[in-house]
Amino acid sequence: MRTVINGAHIATVDGSGSEFASGHVVVEDGVIVSVGEGAAETREGDQVVNGSGCLVTPGLVNTHHHLYQWATRGFAQQATLFEWLVALYPVWSGIDERVVHATTSAGLAWMAKSGCTTAADHHYVFPSDSGDLMAALVDGGKRVGTRLHVVRGSMDCGKSQGGLPPDSIVESTEKALLATEEAITTYHGASAESRVQIAVGPCSPFSASGELMREGAALARRYGVQMHTHLAETTDEEEHCVEQFGCTPLEYADKLGWLGPDVWLAHGIHFSDKEIQRLGATKTGVAHCPSSNARLGAGIARVRDLLDVGCPVGLGVDGAASNEAGGLGDELRQSLYLARLRGGPAAFTVRESLWLGTMGGARCLGRADHIGSIEVGKQADIAVWRVDGLAHAGIADPVAALVLGSLPPLELLLVGGDPVVRLGQLTTVDEQQLAEDLATASRVLAERAGVTA
């Protein structure tokens, strides 16, 4: 079956920034086969979407998340990052495969309702006897129908070794590397249409050893997969690295082989001018998480400067325990606002924010040839936003309506041509059941830890 969208404003986010005021998109066998101005001819049996009053964009790409955290929202509300981690690690030590399946399903479903078609989930907490957490993640993604990049995270520096996490949720270096390799060989799909990919992701310089970082990089490059870690999120982290390693977090990552076009870093707030030049020269990506950074008071990433040196930058929701809203669509506006707080109203445009949430994210994940823009031959990951209602009527520029206004309702969300959201409702899963499962997971974790928010 073909899907034909006619009469919409199309923002392709291609290399030229092409837009069509009253255009069409045609999808066949999950791939975009036509895009342009005017209406496309339809055939008998086509699914025809009347795009009048709608804006069509690529599906949004979330470059950094921790889906298990959907069960621990509302904790440590006035904490810094390190305080927040110390408060929540004991709670997360109670996760198991049922909790992870519930949170993955709920988190991906909610992101889909905010226009997200691809999400990278950085999962690094593996308590003993917690079951098969990788299978729970992948099954949750299949249940919802969005693309899922599972970053097989790891920590091998618990409290007994000077790290922050309890020893009960860290692994040995050898076990972490073996489990990461197993995740790649079991689940990674390298094809254009793949809905599951695996990346290598030691958690951070203060919870992963240098050996784990070095060997993790070697493993990733042996299999040709992306690499991801937290870096330069807070000044506390920089002080820790200088004290422990005699260098900044980025210098440390560079020594360990963690810069390059196959790497994207979460947050990247505290970089010097020289370090930003180094990131641009190596084409290392950065996952910008504006709401989470603001929630934790971590700082404002230098997104304008990163883009100006050619660094791929995408948007991230981050774990819902530091961004309780949990949707990606709102991060478009947040990214623009923070960029302007740092650099003034001319520092960032609405179309640059849309680029961050689409092509920028696709570049970070190594998927720029497959997703992130509406172009012939790419996967049909498409969001159709209704912008003619009360909240947006009268805004002449539909992209401004999306980025500056409240998040518009979704007329349709396609992943590989398959509808995941239609008329604002999920088509693949029961939303009420997801909410009930999530509430149960939250209650179970709190009871296991003996804590309240």
Side-chain angles (χ1 to χ4, degrees):
M1 180 183 293
R2 299 196 322 162
T3 298
V4 180
I5 303 168
N6 274 332
H9 185 108
I10 315 291
T12 68
V13 199
D14 65 10
S16 303
S18 304
E19 295 190 25
F20 306 104
S22 181
H24 70 269
V25 181
V26 180
V27 174
E28 191 167 1
D29 295 329
V31 176
I32 298 165
V33 296
S34 180
V35 56
E37 191 65 64
E41 292 186 5
T42 60
R43 308 171 185 168
E44 184 178 354
D46 285 350
Q47 177 186 343
V48 181
V49 178
N50 180 1
S52 177
C54 293
L55 167 68
V56 174
T57 71
L60 304 183
V61 179
N62 178 13
T63 58
H64 185 65
H65 208 93
H66 308 293
L67 286 163
Y68 71 89
Q69 291 182 15
W70 266 87
T72 56
R73 290 180 291 173
F75 285 74
Q77 296 173 19
Q78 282 79 45
T80 64
L81 173 65
F82 279 18
E83 293 167 344
W84 177 85
L85 286 170
V86 169
L88 282 162
Y89 273 140
V91 185
W92 297 336
S93 66
I95 67 170
D96 58 24
E97 59 187 4
R98 293 184 65 182
V99 169
V100 168
H101 190 262
T103 53
T104 299
S105 301
L108 291 175
W110 187 251
M111 279 189 283
K113 293 189 68 169
S114 76
C116 179
T117 51
T118 299
D121 183 59
H122 191 185
H123 190 98
Y124 54 84
V125 176
F126 292 90
S128 58
D129 301 322
S130 57
D132 192 341
L133 302 188
M134 286 293 97
L137 275 163
V138 172
D139 288 347
K142 290 179 179 178
R143 182 182 181 193
V144 176
T146 53
R147 298 188 200 278
L148 179 61
H149 282 236
V150 180
V151 182
R152 206 299 178 177
S154 51
M155 300 187 291
D156 63 348
C157 292
K159 278 189 176 180
S160 64
Q161 297 172 292
L164 285 178
D167 290 344
S168 62
I169 61 173
V170 304
E171 303 169 287
S172 70
T173 307
E174 181 182 13
K175 182 178 179 182
L177 291 168
L178 287 172
T180 302
E181 183 171 19
E182 182 181 12
I184 296 169
T185 57
T186 303
Y187 296 114
H188 181 70
S191 66
E193 65 272 15
S194 174
R195 299 205 184 181
V196 179
Q197 292 201 350
I198 304 296
V200 175
C203 182
S204 66
F206 50 85
S207 59
S209 68
E211 181 184 1
L212 181 57
M213 297 285 287
R214 274 191 300 270
E215 293 302 318
L219 174 66
R221 288 172 175 141
R222 189 159 68 249
Y223 281 98
V225 301
Q226 297 290 108
M227 300 152 56
H228 184 54
T229 191
H230 296 88
L231 204 78
E233 185 175 359
T234 66
T235 55
D236 288 342
E237 177 190 337
E238 181 159 346
E239 291 169 3
H240 170 85
C241 281
V242 171
E243 179 182 342
Q244 295 291 317
F245 313 120
C247 59
T248 68
L250 189 77
E251 290 168 342
Y252 182 61
D254 203 352
K255 290 178 181 179
L256 297 173
W258 271 78
L259 297 185
D262 55 353
V263 178
W264 85 104
L265 308 169
H267 302 291
I269 299 170
H270 301 283
F271 291 135
S272 68
D273 292 346
K274 181 180 178 181
E275 289 175 330
I276 286 177
Q277 291 294 328
R278 178 65 176 150
L279 288 165
T282 57
K283 303 302 180 188
T284 305
V286 173
H288 175 42
C289 306
S291 290
S292 174
N293 294 346
R295 204 281 208 182
L296 293 171
I300 302 174
R302 297 172 60 181
V303 173
R304 174 77 278 151
D305 297 333
L306 289 165
L307 291 175
D308 287 347
V309 298
C311 182
V313 181
L315 291 181
V317 174
D318 203 6
S322 65
N323 179 1
E324 280 79 358
L328 187 57
D330 291 328
E331 300 305 311
L332 301 175
R333 182 169 66 254
Q334 292 290 85
S335 67
L336 180 136
Y337 283 177
L338 290 191
R340 292 185 176 188
L341 280 174
R342 175 177 279 279
F348 224 66
T349 71
V350 295
R351 282 164 177 79
E352 286 177 311
S353 287
L354 179 58
W355 186 91
L356 291 182
T358 53
M359 270 304 295
R363 285 186 64 191
C364 285
L365 300 186
R367 296 295 294 274
D369 291 339
H370 307 153
I371 61 174
S373 63
I374 300 176
E375 299 182 75
V376 171
K378 283 199 167 185
Q379 293 294 298
D381 292 7
I382 295 170
V384 182
W385 310 88
R386 181 151 293 285
V387 292
D388 60 353
L390 179 61
H392 305 92
I395 302 178
D397 178 357
V399 178
L402 170 64
V403 175
L404 297 176
S406 59
L407 194 65
L410 275 172
E411 188 80 0
L412 184 66
L413 185 75
L414 300 178
V415 179
D418 298 328
V420 174
V421 177
R422 182 182 282 121
L423 301 178
Q425 300 299 310
L426 295 162
T427 64
T428 54
V429 285
D430 180 79
E431 189 169 336
Q432 184 57 41
Q433 185 62 56
L434 293 179
E436 292 174 6
D437 293 345
L438 179 60
T440 298
S442 297
R443 184 177 66 254
V444 165
L445 276 187
E447 289 173 353
R448 287 174 180 171
V451 299
T452 62

